[in-house]
Each structure stands twice: as C-alpha cells, then as structure tokens.
Amino acid sequence: MMGRVPMPSPLPVRNGVGPTRLRVPTSGPWATIADYVVARFHHMDADDLYRRFDAGEIVGADGGPIRREAALGEHVFLWYYRDLPVEEPIPFREEILHVDDDLVVIDKPHFLPTTPGGRYLRESALVRLRTRLGNPDLTPIHRLDRATAGLVMFSARPATRGPYQSLFEKRLVTKVYEAVSPLPAEWDPDVPTLAGHAVPVVYRNHIEARRGELRVIVDDTREPNSETLIEVRGAGSSSSGRTVLHTTLRPHTGRMHQLRVHLAALGVGILGDSWYPDLLPEEPDDHSLPLQLLARELEFTDPLSGEPRRFVTGRTLSEAPVSASGGPRPAG
C-alpha cells in the first residue's frame, strides 16, 4: 500500500535513478551474503558480482560497504545501483501541467512507463522528471499503465507525501477516463446497450492481481471489489476509417487493469489492447495504434490548502470518432 512509510535508503538517487533494495535471508545454504547474491542472480557473471562487493558498491542499511566475507545474517537488506542498460529512447515526451513545492502533475504519453521496470529505466516518467526538475525526492502518488496516456500526480517532497497518498486510499479523487473500442455488431443507437446492460451502466466484478501473472484474474463467484460507471459519448467513424464506440469511464475503485477488464467484459475491449479480452503474442510497440485509453481528468480538494484542484489532459485519442452515427453523448 502506498501509504506505508518506505524504508530510507542509505544511497542517494543518482542520475534520476534510485538504488535497488534486496532482502537477504537470515539462514540458508549460503555461507556468505555474497554467495547468496551470486546464487540469486545466477544469470549474471559471478566474478563481476564479487568484484562489486570488493569495490564497496553493495552497502547495508548504515551505508557502509558489505564485505565479501560477511556471513549470512549480518544484514537483512542490502542496496546497490543497477547497471543502466542501453535503452531505446521512447519518442514521446511528457508534458508538465503543474509544479509547486508539494505536487507535480504531468500529462503522460502512451508507451512511457510511470516508473522504472523491466527493460525501462531511464525511459520512465519518474526518472525523466527527476532529471528534468532536479528533484530526487519525486515519487508517484498513483500510476498509469505504460500503454495508457494521461494525468499522473507526483509528490515533490516526503514531508507532504502522505496527505496526497491518502486522497487515493480514501477514494477522494474523482477520476475520469476516455476509451475507444470497436463498435459492436449489435449496437443500436436508439436503444443503446452493452452486453445486455442499458447505457449508462455501472459494472462490477471481482478482480485479483497475482504475483507473476501478466493479467488479472476475474472471479465471478466472489463479491465484487471493482466498480466503474460507463457512459457512451458517441459512435461513428474514426479518421482511419474504423467504426468505433467512444466511452467515458468513471472508476469508483482502482484495481489493476480495471477499465480494460470491464470494457472487455461488456464486449467492447479497447482498441490497441493486446491483453484483454485475449492475450496476444508480444510484439514491438505499434506507435500508429496506441491503446485507446486516456486518463482525462483528476479532481480533488487539496489536503494542504483546502482549495479545489482540477487537472485536464491536453491529449486526445487518435481513434475517437470524427463523424457521428448516433447514440447518447452525456455531458462530462
């Protein structure tokens, strides 16, 4: 949970990238901490890992180097800097919408991850912003999937991070998204329904994220823990000639992949989604068709000043209809 106080790192942020923390078992078949690390990262060169211990690059909670001979159990955690990979630059730039002493809000492009992960380290919104603003204390208050574009909020300093995180934990932030999906064959603009549900529809189900799984698990036998209000903005043809449905999504909860799962369950999986309803083979990013999902608005009462805050994206979805074929267009 994001509201927990993180363990302070003995190493500073370097070039926008924070150190990595590793928990070390206190018992096991390894004589030393270095032996455990070599076994843990068996795909890496063992001599180079031992060299890093000898060079003092791997440290304990006090910031002091952990000796190669340190016995298992001497340290519970260790910290180190990852070797930065050679990354292909992501050719899209985040836009900074707001900066003050406590809060930064950006308009994130498609394909840019919010935080480092996998093959993306420098090419993440967090590392880019830390470098761009010269602020190593920046931390995301919430996240968007790499494939999703739109608004993301960052805490600018630890002293005021908690109140902003609490807004999301207590569901005090109004979030509005847009999505574009292929128009279902049975679509009737005079009697608009989605999978038999009259529009607008409040859709609920039980979503569970499991470690090691790319996609979430939907369990219809359990009590719903996710909820989204889905409204239809319109239907028609996009600039590329696709016949599409344009929806507004107002999530009440914030489960992993919630909006993608809910639209897929209603028979209108999002254009460009290679995970839902079906997991497609991994392919290089198709910049001509980003996932048609956009975090459009964030609205809340500032927990520090008490003033109302509202941020709106400047981005649009490339496959939104440009010629309407009928259907409701609610305000918002």
Side-chain angles (χ1 to χ4, degrees):
M1 177 180 286
M2 297 193 70
R4 293 176 181 169
V5 177
M7 177 179 293
S9 169
L11 296 175
V13 171
R14 187 173 69 181
N15 297 324
V17 181
T20 296
R21 186 186 74 186
L22 177 68
R23 187 183 185 98
V24 182
T26 55
S27 62
W30 313 279
T32 66
I33 291 174
D35 290 342
Y36 166 73
V37 170
V38 168
R40 171 71 171 76
F41 298 104
H42 58 86
H43 58 288
M44 300 177 67
D45 182 72
D47 289 339
D48 186 59
L49 291 173
Y50 285 124
R51 178 201 61 77
R52 296 194 68 179
F53 277 94
D54 294 339
E57 297 178 8
I58 298 174
V59 306
D62 61 356
I66 297 177
R67 298 171 296 108
R68 182 201 287 227
E69 301 81 14
L72 205 67
E74 285 191 25
H75 297 268
V76 178
F77 292 97
L78 58 80
W79 283 260
Y80 62 94
Y81 292 110
R82 287 175 56 186
D83 288 331
L84 298 183
V86 176
E87 295 181 64
E88 186 75 22
I90 295 173
F92 307 104
R93 189 171 176 84
E94 70 285 352
E95 300 293 332
I96 297 176
L97 301 184
H98 174 86
V99 179
D100 63 33
D101 290 341
D102 304 295
L103 188 66
V104 175
V105 182
I106 69 164
D107 208 347
K108 187 185 82 66
H110 295 286
F111 305 110
L112 181 69
T114 301
T115 56
R119 64 184 185 273
Y120 300 101
L121 190 59
R122 293 186 188 93
E123 291 299 293
S124 64
L126 177 60
V127 173
R128 283 186 179 186
L129 284 172
R130 281 176 171 173
T131 302
R132 186 173 171 184
L133 298 176
N135 182 356
D137 290 329
L138 280 173
T139 301
I141 299 170
H142 66 119
R143 290 169 173 79
L144 290 183
D145 293 341
R146 187 175 80 87
T148 305
L151 303 175
V152 188
M153 291 168 46
F154 292 80
S155 163
R157 61 189 182 114
T160 56
R161 187 168 299 153
Y164 287 105
Q165 290 174 335
S166 293
L167 290 174
F168 286 88
E169 293 165 4
K170 296 177 180 178
R171 299 177 184 172
L172 297 177
V173 179
T174 299
K175 297 175 285 186
V176 182
Y177 290 73
E178 287 182 34
V180 176
S181 309
L183 188 71
E186 66 277 9
W187 178 255
D188 182 349
D190 296 322
V191 187
T193 60
L194 294 174
H197 300 270
V199 174
V201 55
V202 175
Y203 192 82
R204 304 178 181 90
N205 65 4
H206 188 96
I207 294 174
E208 180 182 349
R210 295 179 182 174
R211 183 179 295 274
E213 297 283 346
L214 286 176
R215 305 200 302 168
V216 299
I217 305 300
V218 175
D219 188 346
D220 291 328
T221 67
R222 299 176 66 182
E223 188 73 18
N225 63 357
S226 63
E227 178 180 308
T228 306
L229 170 62
I230 301 163
E231 302 166 313
V232 172
R233 295 171 62 85
S237 297
S238 69
S239 58
S240 67
R242 292 182 171 91
T243 305
V244 295
L245 186 72
H246 192 189
T247 51
T248 296
L249 313 170
R250 304 179 190 272
H252 178 63
T253 55
R255 300 290 173 180
M256 179 177 173
H257 299 168
Q258 175 177 318
L259 303 180
R260 298 161 74 169
V261 168
H262 285 182
L263 286 180
L266 291 169
V268 283
I270 302 173
L271 266 175
D273 194 346
S274 61
W275 288 17
Y276 302 95
D278 300 311
L279 182 61
L280 304 180
E282 184 176 3
E283 294 183 352
D285 290 337
D286 181 359
H287 293 166
S288 69
L289 183 61
L291 178 72
Q292 295 295 287
L293 181 61
L294 176 66
R296 192 180 84 192
E297 298 175 32
L298 289 172
E299 190 170 2
F300 56 93
T301 298
D302 191 285
L304 304 181
S305 68
E307 296 296 319
R309 298 261 205 174
R310 182 171 181 263
F311 300 100
V312 181
T313 182
R315 302 180 188 274
T316 58
L317 293 173
S318 59
E319 293 298 315
V322 293
S323 62
S325 63
R329 294 184 62 86

